[in-house]
């Protein structure tokens, strides 16, 4: 599967019928009243805190798409963020084969590294959100710790080809890597952010006692590589989708990385991650309503650390003037499921985001967002912080698409 990613990257250098370059640059002004951010080795829920807010480069994405043949294409996405060690990284790279359909069913195959199609929020270039600046807890975690690195097959029956309002689709993927995914969720918890982890990027966790040199899990490094292959086992994801008349979309996903939680390699434990995910989108009378929910478990060691996790959000958008107002409500929870009392991993909380996005020109969009998060996490006391935190931010973003 590593070869598939290499093929995706190399394919962009081959002779092609057409190459299309597009991207987005997101410059933002941030005011944050928040605990030390997880991006700065803390346990805060926001991407920025009072020590790293101000004028920031939120996202800079460059996407190259090459048509290699009538039915074969390649995609590469590069990402730059000013809070990333190394600044630039690859976030996605894949080949797609999409044969011409001979009936109502359309099938496509992807090979490489790419995002699962679970998110309803991240519909912009490079898997960026368009309605808000931050994303929900669910989609924040997907951007931070989950990437399909393997093969995906999807097929959709288009109802309009049969004169019907019903669309039905199925997908299945197999992948390697993602064995260290679960580390952030257990030891940092959920976040409300828009930060996307690069495929080669290490993430530095908070300095918790459990993985210090004298801790219970001293073989675990603070620096994690969430997409690392550790145990040489293949994971899978299954999905089903249903649409009606262009106004209703429903989807369900089953995910299991099948990792062996007793294996450790180069300071990285393998985490078993499995969950179920459902989503719904409704469009009516100018309104768009999104809903996503996730329920699952992740654990490592024998025994080590483990949590049951659950989150959901509801987002409603409606045009106002020349722009669109979006309101999102989040709930998230972790229930500790291990036998290491000095390593508390439970938490619960919620968040509210109010955003307004207004196009200024066909390529330039102004987005403003107010975000508030209320959460309780006992592990903060291990770092001398209060377990209960109320965090907030006000952000104005100028997005240029090209």
């Amino acid at each position: 599967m590593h070869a598939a990613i290499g093929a995706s990257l190399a394919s962009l250098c081959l002779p092609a019928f057409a190459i299309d370059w597009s991207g987005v640059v997101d410059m933002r002004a941030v005011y944050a009243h928040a605990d030390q951010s997880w991006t700065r080795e803390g346990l805060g829920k926001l991407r920025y805190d009072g020590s790293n807010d101000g004028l920031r480069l939120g996202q800079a994405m460059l996407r190259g798409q090459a048509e290699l043949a009538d039915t074969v294409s390649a995609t590469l996405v590069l990402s730059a963020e000013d809070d990333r060690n190394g600044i630039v990284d690859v976030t996605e790279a894949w080949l797609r084969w999409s044969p011409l359909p001979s009936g109502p069913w359309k099938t496509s195959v992807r090979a490489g590294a790419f995002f699962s199609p679970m998110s309803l929020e991240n519909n912009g270039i490079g898997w960026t959100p368009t309605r808000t600046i931050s994303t929900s807890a669910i989609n924040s975690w997907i951007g931070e710790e989950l990437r399909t690195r393997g093969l995906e097959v999807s097929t959709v029956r288009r109802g309009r080809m049969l004169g019907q309002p019903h669309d039905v689709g199925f997908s299945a993927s197999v992948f390697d890597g993602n064995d260290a995914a679960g580390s952030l969720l257990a030891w940092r918890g959920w976040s409300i952010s828009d930060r996307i982890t690069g495929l080669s990027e290490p993430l530095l966790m908070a300095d918790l006692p459990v993985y210090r040199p004298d801790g219970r899990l001293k073989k675990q490094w603070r620096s994690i590589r969430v997409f690392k292959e550790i145990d040489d086992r293949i994971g899978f994801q299954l999905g089903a989708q249903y649409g009606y008349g262009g106004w209703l979309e429903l989807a369900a996903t089953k995910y299991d990385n099948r990792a062996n939680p007793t294996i450790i390699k180069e300071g990285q434990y393998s985490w078993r991650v499995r969950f179920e995910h459902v989503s719904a989108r409704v469009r009516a009378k100018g309104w768009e309503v999104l809903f996503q929910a996730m329920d699952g478990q992740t654990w490592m060691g024998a025994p080590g650390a483990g949590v049951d996790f659950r989150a959901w959000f509801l987002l409603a958008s409606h045009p106002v003037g020349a722009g669109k107002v979006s309101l999102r409500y989040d709930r998230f929870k972790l229930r500790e499921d291990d036998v290491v009392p000095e390593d508390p991993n439970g938490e619960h909380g919620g968040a509210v985001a109010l955003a307004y996005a207004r196009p200024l020109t066909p390529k330039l969009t102004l987005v403003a967002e107010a975000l508030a998060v209320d959460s309780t996490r006992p592990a903060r006391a291990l770092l001398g912080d209060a377990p209960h935190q109320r965090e907030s931010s006000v952000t104005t973003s100028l997005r240029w698409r090209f």
Side-chain angles (χ1 to χ4, degrees):
M1 293 187 183
H2 298 285
I5 298 174
S8 297
L9 294 169
S11 65
L12 292 179
C13 301
L14 297 176
F17 291 152
I19 300 178
D20 176 62
W21 294 99
S22 58
V24 59
V25 177
D26 180 335
M27 292 298 302
R28 60 187 62 171
V30 185
Y31 170 75
H33 179 73
D35 194 18
Q36 183 176 338
S37 170
W38 68 271
T39 65
R40 298 179 54 249
E41 306 173 38
L43 292 175
K45 297 300 179 190
L46 305 187
R47 179 176 178 181
Y48 306 106
D49 58 38
S51 296
N52 71 336
D53 57 1
L55 187 64
R56 303 305 303 257
L57 173 62
Q59 305 281 2
M61 298 282 185
L62 179 63
R63 180 179 64 190
Q65 296 176 302
E67 298 296 327
L68 306 180
D70 290 340
T71 60
V72 180
S73 62
T75 297
L76 170 70
V77 181
L78 298 174
S79 169
E81 300 172 354
D82 62 7
D83 54 359
R84 170 182 292 151
N85 182 19
I87 307 298
V88 179
D89 206 337
V90 176
T91 56
E92 296 184 89
W94 78 83
L95 291 170
R96 185 193 296 273
W97 176 54
S98 185
L100 295 175
S102 58
W105 289 92
K106 180 173 178 57
T107 299
S108 68
V109 180
R110 284 198 291 178
F114 45 86
F115 285 102
S116 163
M118 287 185 288
S119 176
L120 298 180
E121 294 181 283
N122 299 68
N123 59 340
I125 294 172
W127 205 78
T128 54
T130 57
R131 304 168 189 84
T132 58
I133 295 174
S134 67
T135 59
S136 63
I138 289 174
N139 291 313
S140 294
W141 180 55
I142 292 174
E144 294 158 0
E145 286 209 276
L146 297 185
R147 209 69 43 88
T148 302
R149 197 176 70 180
L151 183 71
E152 175 193 74
V153 179
S154 61
T155 184
V156 178
R157 194 197 73 161
R158 299 164 297 170
R160 65 181 181 273
M161 300 294 293
L162 302 172
Q164 300 175 356
H166 309 281
D167 294 327
V168 179
F170 303 95
S171 62
S173 62
V174 291
F175 55 87
D176 69 356
N178 255 192
D179 287 343
S183 307
L184 273 183
L185 193 58
W187 281 319
R188 180 217 55 193
W190 296 99
S191 76
I192 305 294
S193 173
D194 68 324
R195 195 181 187 284
I196 298 174
T197 305
L199 291 176
S200 64
E201 179 184 8
L203 298 177
L204 189 61
M205 295 186 291
D207 185 22
L208 294 174
V210 69
Y211 41 71
R212 290 175 184 166
D214 59 348
R216 177 78 70 93
L217 302 175
K218 59 185 178 183
K219 293 182 179 180
Q220 170 69 49
W221 294 351
R222 282 180 63 196
S223 179
I224 63 169
R225 295 184 181 273
V226 294
F227 308 123
K228 185 178 180 61
E229 175 57 44
I230 298 172
D231 63 357
D232 298 322
R233 298 178 66 174
I234 299 298
F236 72 89
Q237 180 173 303
L238 302 174
Q241 305 83 40
Y242 171 77
Y244 183 83
W247 66 269
L248 174 66
E249 299 173 17
L250 304 173
T253 303
K254 169 69 176 179
Y255 177 99
D256 191 339
N257 72 351
R258 298 184 63 249
N260 182 343
T262 65
I263 303 297
I264 184 170
K265 180 188 296 184
E266 298 174 359
Q268 311 292 312
Y269 267 100
S270 183
W271 288 72
R272 180 70 180 270
V273 181
R274 59 189 184 192
F275 62 80
E276 290 78 41
H277 173 271
V278 295
S279 66
R281 186 203 313 263
V282 178
R283 298 185 180 95
K285 297 182 178 180
W287 285 95
E288 182 183 35
V289 178
L290 312 180
F291 172 78
Q292 289 182 236
M294 179 182 285
D295 186 276
Q297 308 84 35
T298 182
W299 68 96
M300 53 76 75
V307 291
D308 298 331
F309 57 87
R310 179 174 297 175
W312 62 269
F313 78 88
L314 187 68
L315 183 150
S317 292
H318 194 277
V320 173
K324 180 178 288 188
V325 169
S326 299
L327 177 65
R328 186 185 67 234
Y329 179 71
D330 261 278
R331 295 299 300 177
F332 51 84
K333 183 177 182 179
L334 296 174
R335 185 179 67 85
E336 191 167 15
D337 189 19
D338 61 42
V339 291
V340 185
E342 67 269 31
D343 181 35
N345 295 315
E347 73 170 23
H348 59 86
V352 177
L354 177 64
Y356 182 67
R358 186 185 189 279
L360 303 178
T361 71
K363 294 185 177 182
L364 203 61
T365 301
L366 181 67
V367 188
E369 178 187 87
L371 172 64
V373 182
D374 187 301
S375 65
T376 299
R377 185 172 181 85
R380 288 174 174 148
L382 301 175
L383 302 180
D385 299 326
H388 178 238
Q389 296 283 346
R390 289 190 175 95
E391 303 170 277
S392 61
S393 66
V394 177
T395 306
T396 301
S397 166
L398 193 62
R399 293 173 177 167
W400 175 49
R401 289 179 173 81
F402 58 90

Short mmCIF file of all heavy atoms in Angstrom, two decimals, residues 105-106 108 110 114-119 148 151-157 167-175 235-243 250-256 275-279:
data_model
loop_
_atom_site.label_atom_id
_atom_site.label_comp_id
_atom_site.label_asym_id
_atom_site.label_seq_id
_atom_site.Cartn_x
_atom_site.Cartn_y
_atom_site.Cartn_z
N TRP A 105 -25.77 2.16 -12.42
CA TRP A 105 -24.73 2.04 -11.40
C TRP A 105 -23.41 2.63 -11.90
O TRP A 105 -22.96 2.32 -13.00
CB TRP A 105 -24.51 0.58 -11.02
CG TRP A 105 -25.64 -0.01 -10.24
CD1 TRP A 105 -26.72 -0.67 -10.73
CD2 TRP A 105 -25.81 0.03 -8.83
NE1 TRP A 105 -27.57 -1.06 -9.72
CE2 TRP A 105 -27.03 -0.64 -8.53
CE3 TRP A 105 -25.07 0.55 -7.76
CZ2 TRP A 105 -27.51 -0.79 -7.24
CZ3 TRP A 105 -25.54 0.41 -6.47
CH2 TRP A 105 -26.75 -0.26 -6.22
N LYS A 106 -22.80 3.50 -11.09
CA LYS A 106 -21.50 4.08 -11.42
C LYS A 106 -20.51 3.65 -10.34
O LYS A 106 -20.73 3.87 -9.15
CB LYS A 106 -21.57 5.60 -11.48
CG LYS A 106 -20.23 6.25 -11.83
CD LYS A 106 -20.36 7.73 -12.05
CE LYS A 106 -19.00 8.38 -12.33
NZ LYS A 106 -18.33 7.78 -13.50
N SER A 108 -16.36 3.47 -8.89
CA SER A 108 -15.03 4.06 -8.95
C SER A 108 -14.13 3.37 -7.92
O SER A 108 -14.61 2.83 -6.92
CB SER A 108 -15.07 5.57 -8.70
OG SER A 108 -15.44 5.85 -7.37
N ARG A 110 -10.40 3.99 -5.76
CA ARG A 110 -9.30 4.87 -5.37
C ARG A 110 -8.21 4.06 -4.70
O ARG A 110 -8.49 3.14 -3.93
CB ARG A 110 -9.77 5.95 -4.40
CG ARG A 110 -10.53 7.07 -5.02
CD ARG A 110 -10.59 8.30 -4.12
NE ARG A 110 -11.39 8.11 -2.93
CZ ARG A 110 -11.54 9.05 -1.98
NH1 ARG A 110 -10.93 10.22 -2.10
NH2 ARG A 110 -12.29 8.81 -0.93
N PHE A 114 -6.15 9.04 1.42
CA PHE A 114 -7.24 9.98 1.22
C PHE A 114 -8.17 9.96 2.43
O PHE A 114 -8.13 9.06 3.27
CB PHE A 114 -8.03 9.64 -0.04
CG PHE A 114 -8.34 8.17 -0.19
CD1 PHE A 114 -9.45 7.61 0.39
CD2 PHE A 114 -7.48 7.35 -0.92
CE1 PHE A 114 -9.72 6.26 0.26
CE2 PHE A 114 -7.73 6.00 -1.06
CZ PHE A 114 -8.86 5.45 -0.47
N PHE A 115 -9.02 10.98 2.52
CA PHE A 115 -10.01 11.07 3.59
C PHE A 115 -11.21 10.18 3.28
O PHE A 115 -11.64 10.08 2.13
CB PHE A 115 -10.49 12.50 3.78
CG PHE A 115 -9.51 13.39 4.48
CD1 PHE A 115 -8.74 14.29 3.76
CD2 PHE A 115 -9.34 13.33 5.86
CE1 PHE A 115 -7.82 15.11 4.40
CE2 PHE A 115 -8.44 14.14 6.50
CZ PHE A 115 -7.67 15.03 5.78
N SER A 116 -11.74 9.58 4.31
CA SER A 116 -13.02 8.89 4.18
C SER A 116 -14.10 9.91 3.84
O SER A 116 -14.02 11.07 4.26
CB SER A 116 -13.36 8.20 5.52
OG SER A 116 -14.73 7.86 5.56
N PRO A 117 -15.13 9.52 3.09
CA PRO A 117 -16.18 10.47 2.71
C PRO A 117 -17.20 10.72 3.82
O PRO A 117 -18.31 11.17 3.54
CB PRO A 117 -16.84 9.77 1.51
CG PRO A 117 -16.64 8.32 1.75
CD PRO A 117 -15.30 8.21 2.42
N MET A 118 -16.85 10.49 5.08
CA MET A 118 -17.81 10.65 6.17
C MET A 118 -18.23 12.09 6.41
O MET A 118 -19.37 12.37 6.79
CB MET A 118 -17.24 10.06 7.47
CG MET A 118 -17.20 8.56 7.52
SD MET A 118 -16.65 7.93 9.14
CE MET A 118 -14.90 8.34 9.07
N SER A 119 -17.32 13.05 6.26
CA SER A 119 -17.59 14.42 6.69
C SER A 119 -18.61 15.13 5.81
O SER A 119 -18.53 15.08 4.58
CB SER A 119 -16.29 15.23 6.70
OG SER A 119 -16.57 16.58 7.03
N THR A 148 -7.46 7.15 5.20
CA THR A 148 -7.46 5.86 4.53
C THR A 148 -6.21 5.78 3.67
O THR A 148 -6.02 6.59 2.76
CB THR A 148 -8.71 5.69 3.65
OG1 THR A 148 -9.88 5.83 4.46
CG2 THR A 148 -8.72 4.32 2.99
N LEU A 151 -6.99 1.04 -0.40
CA LEU A 151 -7.84 0.87 -1.58
C LEU A 151 -9.30 1.03 -1.19
O LEU A 151 -9.76 0.45 -0.20
CB LEU A 151 -7.61 -0.51 -2.18
CG LEU A 151 -8.36 -0.85 -3.47
CD1 LEU A 151 -7.76 -0.06 -4.64
CD2 LEU A 151 -8.28 -2.35 -3.74
N GLU A 152 -10.05 1.81 -1.99
CA GLU A 152 -11.47 2.03 -1.75
C GLU A 152 -12.25 1.75 -3.03
O GLU A 152 -11.88 2.23 -4.10
CB GLU A 152 -11.72 3.46 -1.31
CG GLU A 152 -13.21 3.81 -1.14
CD GLU A 152 -13.41 5.31 -1.01
OE1 GLU A 152 -13.29 6.04 -2.03
OE2 GLU A 152 -13.68 5.76 0.12
N VAL A 153 -13.33 1.00 -2.91
CA VAL A 153 -14.25 0.74 -4.02
C VAL A 153 -15.61 1.29 -3.64
O VAL A 153 -16.12 1.00 -2.54
CB VAL A 153 -14.36 -0.76 -4.34
CG1 VAL A 153 -15.33 -0.99 -5.48
CG2 VAL A 153 -12.99 -1.34 -4.66
N SER A 154 -16.20 2.10 -4.51
CA SER A 154 -17.53 2.66 -4.23
C SER A 154 -18.40 2.52 -5.47
O SER A 154 -17.92 2.58 -6.61
CB SER A 154 -17.44 4.12 -3.81
OG SER A 154 -16.86 4.91 -4.83
N THR A 155 -19.68 2.36 -5.24
CA THR A 155 -20.64 2.25 -6.35
C THR A 155 -21.93 2.95 -5.95
O THR A 155 -22.36 2.87 -4.79
CB THR A 155 -20.90 0.78 -6.72
OG1 THR A 155 -21.76 0.72 -7.85
CG2 THR A 155 -21.51 0.01 -5.56
N VAL A 156 -22.53 3.66 -6.91
CA VAL A 156 -23.74 4.43 -6.65
C VAL A 156 -24.75 4.16 -7.76
O VAL A 156 -24.40 4.16 -8.95
CB VAL A 156 -23.44 5.95 -6.61
CG1 VAL A 156 -24.72 6.75 -6.40
CG2 VAL A 156 -22.43 6.26 -5.51
N ARG A 157 -25.99 3.90 -7.36
CA ARG A 157 -27.08 3.79 -8.34
C ARG A 157 -27.80 5.13 -8.40
O ARG A 157 -28.39 5.58 -7.41
CB ARG A 157 -28.07 2.70 -7.94
CG ARG A 157 -29.02 2.34 -9.08
CD ARG A 157 -30.23 1.60 -8.60
NE ARG A 157 -31.14 2.49 -7.89
CZ ARG A 157 -32.43 2.22 -7.67
NH1 ARG A 157 -32.95 1.08 -8.07
NH2 ARG A 157 -33.19 3.06 -6.99
N ASP A 167 -31.47 7.51 -4.71
CA ASP A 167 -30.07 7.19 -4.99
C ASP A 167 -29.56 6.26 -3.88
O ASP A 167 -29.83 6.49 -2.70
CB ASP A 167 -29.19 8.45 -5.00
CG ASP A 167 -29.54 9.38 -6.15
OD1 ASP A 167 -29.93 8.89 -7.22
OD2 ASP A 167 -29.43 10.61 -5.97
N VAL A 168 -28.83 5.23 -4.27
CA VAL A 168 -28.31 4.26 -3.30
C VAL A 168 -26.84 4.03 -3.60
O VAL A 168 -26.44 3.91 -4.77
CB VAL A 168 -29.07 2.92 -3.38
CG1 VAL A 168 -28.49 1.92 -2.38
CG2 VAL A 168 -30.55 3.12 -3.10
N GLY A 169 -26.01 3.98 -2.56
CA GLY A 169 -24.59 3.76 -2.76
C GLY A 169 -23.98 2.88 -1.69
O GLY A 169 -24.50 2.78 -0.57
N PHE A 170 -22.88 2.24 -2.03
CA PHE A 170 -22.13 1.40 -1.10
C PHE A 170 -20.64 1.64 -1.31
O PHE A 170 -20.20 1.95 -2.42
CB PHE A 170 -22.45 -0.09 -1.32
CG PHE A 170 -23.90 -0.42 -1.21
CD1 PHE A 170 -24.71 -0.48 -2.34
CD2 PHE A 170 -24.47 -0.66 0.03
CE1 PHE A 170 -26.05 -0.78 -2.24
CE2 PHE A 170 -25.82 -0.96 0.15
CZ PHE A 170 -26.62 -1.02 -0.99
N SER A 171 -19.87 1.47 -0.26
CA SER A 171 -18.41 1.61 -0.37
C SER A 171 -17.73 0.65 0.58
O SER A 171 -18.29 0.25 1.61
CB SER A 171 -17.99 3.05 -0.05
OG SER A 171 -18.32 3.39 1.28
N ALA A 172 -16.51 0.27 0.22
CA ALA A 172 -15.69 -0.60 1.07
C ALA A 172 -14.23 -0.23 0.84
O ALA A 172 -13.82 0.06 -0.28
CB ALA A 172 -15.92 -2.07 0.73
N SER A 173 -13.46 -0.22 1.91
CA SER A 173 -12.04 0.09 1.79
C SER A 173 -11.23 -0.80 2.71
O SER A 173 -11.72 -1.27 3.75
CB SER A 173 -11.77 1.56 2.11
OG SER A 173 -12.13 1.87 3.44
N VAL A 174 -10.00 -1.05 2.32
CA VAL A 174 -9.02 -1.74 3.16
C VAL A 174 -7.79 -0.85 3.22
O VAL A 174 -7.48 -0.14 2.26
CB VAL A 174 -8.66 -3.13 2.61
CG1 VAL A 174 -9.84 -4.08 2.73
CG2 VAL A 174 -8.19 -3.06 1.16
N PHE A 175 -7.09 -0.88 4.36
CA PHE A 175 -5.99 0.06 4.53
C PHE A 175 -4.99 -0.48 5.55
O PHE A 175 -5.31 -1.34 6.38
CB PHE A 175 -6.52 1.42 5.01
CG PHE A 175 -7.36 1.36 6.26
CD1 PHE A 175 -6.77 1.42 7.52
CD2 PHE A 175 -8.74 1.22 6.18
CE1 PHE A 175 -7.54 1.36 8.67
CE2 PHE A 175 -9.52 1.15 7.33
CZ PHE A 175 -8.90 1.23 8.58
N GLY A 235 -6.80 -3.02 8.09
CA GLY A 235 -8.08 -2.57 8.60
C GLY A 235 -9.10 -2.44 7.49
O GLY A 235 -8.78 -2.57 6.30
N PHE A 236 -10.36 -2.17 7.88
CA PHE A 236 -11.42 -2.05 6.86
C PHE A 236 -12.42 -0.98 7.27
O PHE A 236 -12.56 -0.63 8.45
CB PHE A 236 -12.13 -3.39 6.64
CG PHE A 236 -13.04 -3.80 7.78
CD1 PHE A 236 -14.37 -3.40 7.82
CD2 PHE A 236 -12.55 -4.58 8.82
CE1 PHE A 236 -15.20 -3.77 8.86
CE2 PHE A 236 -13.38 -4.97 9.87
CZ PHE A 236 -14.70 -4.56 9.89
N GLN A 237 -13.15 -0.50 6.26
CA GLN A 237 -14.26 0.42 6.46
C GLN A 237 -15.35 0.09 5.47
O GLN A 237 -15.08 -0.12 4.28
CB GLN A 237 -13.80 1.87 6.28
CG GLN A 237 -14.89 2.91 6.47
CD GLN A 237 -14.35 4.31 6.44
OE1 GLN A 237 -13.47 4.69 7.20
NE2 GLN A 237 -14.87 5.12 5.52
N LEU A 238 -16.59 0.05 5.95
CA LEU A 238 -17.76 -0.23 5.11
C LEU A 238 -18.74 0.92 5.23
O LEU A 238 -18.93 1.47 6.32
CB LEU A 238 -18.44 -1.54 5.55
CG LEU A 238 -17.58 -2.80 5.54
CD1 LEU A 238 -18.36 -3.97 6.14
CD2 LEU A 238 -17.11 -3.13 4.13
N GLY A 239 -19.36 1.28 4.12
CA GLY A 239 -20.31 2.39 4.14
C GLY A 239 -21.51 2.15 3.25
O GLY A 239 -21.45 1.38 2.28
N ALA A 240 -22.61 2.81 3.59
CA ALA A 240 -23.83 2.77 2.78
C ALA A 240 -24.45 4.16 2.78
O ALA A 240 -24.40 4.87 3.79
CB ALA A 240 -24.82 1.75 3.33
N GLN A 241 -25.01 4.55 1.62
CA GLN A 241 -25.60 5.88 1.48
C GLN A 241 -26.96 5.77 0.80
O GLN A 241 -27.21 4.87 -0.01
CB GLN A 241 -24.70 6.80 0.64
CG GLN A 241 -23.27 6.92 1.12
CD GLN A 241 -22.37 5.78 0.65
OE1 GLN A 241 -22.48 5.35 -0.50
NE2 GLN A 241 -21.49 5.31 1.51
N TYR A 242 -27.84 6.72 1.16
CA TYR A 242 -29.16 6.79 0.53
C TYR A 242 -29.52 8.25 0.33
O TYR A 242 -29.31 9.08 1.22
CB TYR A 242 -30.23 6.13 1.39
CG TYR A 242 -31.64 6.38 0.89
CD1 TYR A 242 -32.12 5.68 -0.23
CD2 TYR A 242 -32.46 7.33 1.49
CE1 TYR A 242 -33.40 5.93 -0.71
CE2 TYR A 242 -33.74 7.57 1.02
CZ TYR A 242 -34.21 6.87 -0.08
OH TYR A 242 -35.46 7.11 -0.57
N GLY A 243 -30.04 8.59 -0.85
CA GLY A 243 -30.49 9.94 -1.12
C GLY A 243 -31.88 9.94 -1.72
O GLY A 243 -32.27 8.99 -2.42
N LEU A 250 -28.66 10.29 3.58
CA LEU A 250 -28.39 9.51 4.79
C LEU A 250 -27.17 8.63 4.53
O LEU A 250 -26.97 8.15 3.40
CB LEU A 250 -29.58 8.64 5.18
CG LEU A 250 -30.93 9.34 5.39
CD1 LEU A 250 -32.03 8.31 5.61
CD2 LEU A 250 -30.84 10.31 6.57
N ALA A 251 -26.36 8.39 5.56
CA ALA A 251 -25.18 7.54 5.39
C ALA A 251 -24.84 6.87 6.71
O ALA A 251 -25.14 7.38 7.79
CB ALA A 251 -23.99 8.35 4.89
N ALA A 252 -24.23 5.69 6.61
CA ALA A 252 -23.76 4.94 7.78
C ALA A 252 -22.42 4.31 7.45
O ALA A 252 -22.18 3.88 6.32
CB ALA A 252 -24.78 3.87 8.18
N THR A 253 -21.52 4.27 8.45
CA THR A 253 -20.16 3.76 8.26
C THR A 253 -19.76 2.88 9.42
O THR A 253 -20.07 3.18 10.57
CB THR A 253 -19.15 4.92 8.15
OG1 THR A 253 -19.52 5.79 7.08
CG2 THR A 253 -17.73 4.40 7.91
N LYS A 254 -19.05 1.79 9.11
CA LYS A 254 -18.44 0.92 10.11
C LYS A 254 -16.94 0.94 9.87
O LYS A 254 -16.48 0.66 8.75
CB LYS A 254 -18.98 -0.51 9.99
CG LYS A 254 -18.22 -1.55 10.81
CD LYS A 254 -18.42 -1.37 12.30
CE LYS A 254 -17.73 -2.49 13.08
NZ LYS A 254 -17.89 -2.33 14.54
N TYR A 255 -16.15 1.24 10.92
CA TYR A 255 -14.70 1.37 10.81
C TYR A 255 -14.02 0.47 11.83
O TYR A 255 -14.44 0.42 12.99
CB TYR A 255 -14.28 2.82 11.04
CG TYR A 255 -12.79 3.08 11.02
CD1 TYR A 255 -12.17 3.59 9.89
CD2 TYR A 255 -12.00 2.85 12.15
CE1 TYR A 255 -10.81 3.85 9.87
CE2 TYR A 255 -10.63 3.09 12.14
CZ TYR A 255 -10.05 3.59 11.00
OH TYR A 255 -8.69 3.84 10.98
N ASP A 256 -12.96 -0.22 11.41
CA ASP A 256 -12.17 -1.05 12.34
C ASP A 256 -10.76 -1.14 11.77
O ASP A 256 -10.55 -1.70 10.69
CB ASP A 256 -12.79 -2.44 12.47
CG ASP A 256 -12.18 -3.26 13.61
OD1 ASP A 256 -11.04 -2.95 14.03
OD2 ASP A 256 -12.84 -4.22 14.07
N PHE A 275 -15.41 1.98 15.33
CA PHE A 275 -16.56 2.84 15.61
C PHE A 275 -17.63 2.69 14.55
O PHE A 275 -17.38 2.16 13.45
CB PHE A 275 -16.13 4.31 15.72
CG PHE A 275 -15.53 4.91 14.47
CD1 PHE A 275 -16.33 5.35 13.42
CD2 PHE A 275 -14.15 5.06 14.35
CE1 PHE A 275 -15.77 5.90 12.28
CE2 PHE A 275 -13.58 5.62 13.22
CZ PHE A 275 -14.39 6.05 12.19
N GLU A 276 -18.81 3.19 14.89
CA GLU A 276 -19.92 3.33 13.94
C GLU A 276 -20.21 4.82 13.79
O GLU A 276 -20.13 5.58 14.76
CB GLU A 276 -21.18 2.59 14.42
CG GLU A 276 -21.08 1.08 14.39
CD GLU A 276 -20.29 0.52 15.57
OE1 GLU A 276 -20.47 1.04 16.71
OE2 GLU A 276 -19.47 -0.40 15.37
N HIS A 277 -20.59 5.21 12.58
CA HIS A 277 -20.83 6.63 12.29
C HIS A 277 -22.07 6.74 11.41
O HIS A 277 -22.25 5.95 10.46
CB HIS A 277 -19.62 7.22 11.56
CG HIS A 277 -19.83 8.61 11.06
ND1 HIS A 277 -20.35 8.89 9.81
CD2 HIS A 277 -19.60 9.82 11.64
CE1 HIS A 277 -20.41 10.20 9.64
NE2 HIS A 277 -19.96 10.79 10.73
N VAL A 278 -22.94 7.69 11.71
CA VAL A 278 -24.12 7.95 10.89
C VAL A 278 -24.20 9.45 10.60
O VAL A 278 -23.69 10.28 11.38
CB VAL A 278 -25.43 7.49 11.57
CG1 VAL A 278 -25.44 5.98 11.73
CG2 VAL A 278 -25.62 8.17 12.92
N SER A 279 -24.81 9.80 9.48
CA SER A 279 -24.95 11.21 9.12
C SER A 279 -26.24 11.43 8.35
O SER A 279 -26.81 10.50 7.76
CB SER A 279 -23.75 11.68 8.29
OG SER A 279 -23.72 11.02 7.03
#
